Amino acid sequence: DPTKIEGSQVEAGTGYFKTSWDKNEIKPEMGKVNLQKEDEGVAWGALYWQYFEDLDKITTHKTPLKLNKKLFLEQASASGPVIVPITKKTKLKLGDKVIVRIVLKVDRRMEYVHMKDMRASGFEPLNVFSKYRYQDGLGYYESTKDAATNFFMSVLPKGTYVFEYPLRVTHKGDFSNGITTIQCMYAPEFTSHSEGVRLKVK
């Protein structure tokens, strides 16, 4: 009963109310909610749980859309350029070339899908021009913005797809590289995101 919650104000007509708790007050059992209607007639409603978290602490969210994001450092070798996975022990420096690899798995055909890959502020993209691309039977529009790279797919067939693009390290510091999010624009319940990554440049 919202009227019994201290500080809550119930909106007349809709019954909408909003309440919040301090992080020390939140317990796992609060995720279980029971709804009971005591009068006659039709009723409708919704419940949402909103919270904040550091981007580099976000874990992977698996749905029919599955995302896996990895960063690689490109290095020169006798046989040509090679890429090695970036880990917590990797020492990045100014001028390094970083390859972003996003693996997308989808278990059904979808339409009008938007994927957004966030980027650390210490990196700059090498693909600065937005344009339409086609690879592995998938056509999409790649749009480069200040803080992220966007991928727009009008049709996304069932399958596994790999997206790659290069970055250049331009600043020293401790950066959050953010997450990759994906959502079906006309069926927003189909959404997912990758885990967050933390990077240090010395």
Side-chain angles (χ1 to χ4, degrees), residues 36-43:
Q36 184 176 355
K37 188 175 184 301
E38 298 179 350
D39 56 351
E40 297 181 356
V42 178

mmCIF file of all heavy atoms in Angstrom, residues 36-43:
data_model
loop_
_atom_site.group_PDB
_atom_site.id
_atom_site.type_symbol
_atom_site.label_atom_id
_atom_site.label_comp_id
_atom_site.label_asym_id
_atom_site.label_seq_id
_atom_site.Cartn_x
_atom_site.Cartn_y
_atom_site.Cartn_z
ATOM 1 N N GLN A 36 -1.882 -7.165 -5.364
ATOM 2 C CA GLN A 36 -3.207 -7.659 -4.998
ATOM 3 C C GLN A 36 -4.244 -6.573 -5.244
ATOM 4 O O GLN A 36 -4.081 -5.433 -4.799
ATOM 5 C CB GLN A 36 -3.220 -8.074 -3.517
ATOM 6 C CG GLN A 36 -4.537 -8.682 -3.076
ATOM 7 C CD GLN A 36 -4.485 -9.171 -1.633
ATOM 8 O OE1 GLN A 36 -3.430 -9.126 -1.000
ATOM 9 N NE2 GLN A 36 -5.607 -9.626 -1.128
ATOM 10 N N LYS A 37 -5.300 -6.927 -5.972
ATOM 11 C CA LYS A 37 -6.380 -5.984 -6.270
ATOM 12 C C LYS A 37 -7.592 -6.350 -5.421
ATOM 13 O O LYS A 37 -8.098 -7.472 -5.489
ATOM 14 C CB LYS A 37 -6.731 -6.035 -7.759
ATOM 15 C CG LYS A 37 -7.706 -4.962 -8.198
ATOM 16 C CD LYS A 37 -7.896 -5.011 -9.712
ATOM 17 C CE LYS A 37 -8.794 -3.875 -10.182
ATOM 18 N NZ LYS A 37 -10.123 -3.910 -9.564
ATOM 19 N N GLU A 38 -8.064 -5.405 -4.631
ATOM 20 C CA GLU A 38 -9.115 -5.702 -3.664
ATOM 21 C C GLU A 38 -10.501 -5.251 -4.112
ATOM 22 O O GLU A 38 -11.497 -5.623 -3.500
ATOM 23 C CB GLU A 38 -8.775 -5.057 -2.320
ATOM 24 C CG GLU A 38 -7.477 -5.591 -1.719
ATOM 25 C CD GLU A 38 -7.138 -4.939 -0.396
ATOM 26 O OE1 GLU A 38 -7.819 -3.942 -0.044
ATOM 27 O OE2 GLU A 38 -6.205 -5.411 0.285
ATOM 28 N N ASP A 39 -10.583 -4.429 -5.176
ATOM 29 C CA ASP A 39 -11.906 -3.997 -5.635
ATOM 30 C C ASP A 39 -12.185 -4.559 -7.024
ATOM 31 O O ASP A 39 -11.330 -5.172 -7.651
ATOM 32 C CB ASP A 39 -12.002 -2.466 -5.648
ATOM 33 C CG ASP A 39 -10.907 -1.842 -6.498
ATOM 34 O OD1 ASP A 39 -9.996 -2.580 -6.913
ATOM 35 O OD2 ASP A 39 -10.957 -0.632 -6.748
ATOM 36 N N GLU A 40 -13.407 -4.350 -7.531
ATOM 37 C CA GLU A 40 -13.798 -4.879 -8.828
ATOM 38 C C GLU A 40 -13.346 -3.949 -9.954
ATOM 39 O O GLU A 40 -13.001 -2.794 -9.724
ATOM 40 C CB GLU A 40 -15.321 -5.058 -8.877
ATOM 41 C CG GLU A 40 -15.854 -6.074 -7.872
ATOM 42 C CD GLU A 40 -17.356 -6.233 -7.977
ATOM 43 O OE1 GLU A 40 -17.972 -5.490 -8.770
ATOM 44 O OE2 GLU A 40 -17.909 -7.096 -7.268
ATOM 45 N N GLY A 41 -13.391 -4.481 -11.170
ATOM 46 C CA GLY A 41 -13.039 -3.676 -12.330
ATOM 47 C C GLY A 41 -11.657 -3.999 -12.866
ATOM 48 O O GLY A 41 -10.887 -4.756 -12.269
ATOM 49 N N VAL A 42 -11.381 -3.411 -14.022
ATOM 50 C CA VAL A 42 -10.100 -3.647 -14.698
ATOM 51 C C VAL A 42 -9.034 -2.718 -14.135
ATOM 52 O O VAL A 42 -9.307 -1.551 -13.833
ATOM 53 C CB VAL A 42 -10.246 -3.421 -16.219
ATOM 54 C CG1 VAL A 42 -8.913 -3.617 -16.924
ATOM 55 C CG2 VAL A 42 -11.296 -4.369 -16.790
ATOM 56 N N ALA A 43 -7.848 -3.224 -13.998
ATOM 57 C CA ALA A 43 -6.727 -2.410 -13.522
ATOM 58 C C ALA A 43 -5.498 -2.698 -14.377
ATOM 59 O O ALA A 43 -5.356 -3.788 -14.930
ATOM 60 C CB ALA A 43 -6.432 -2.705 -12.058
#
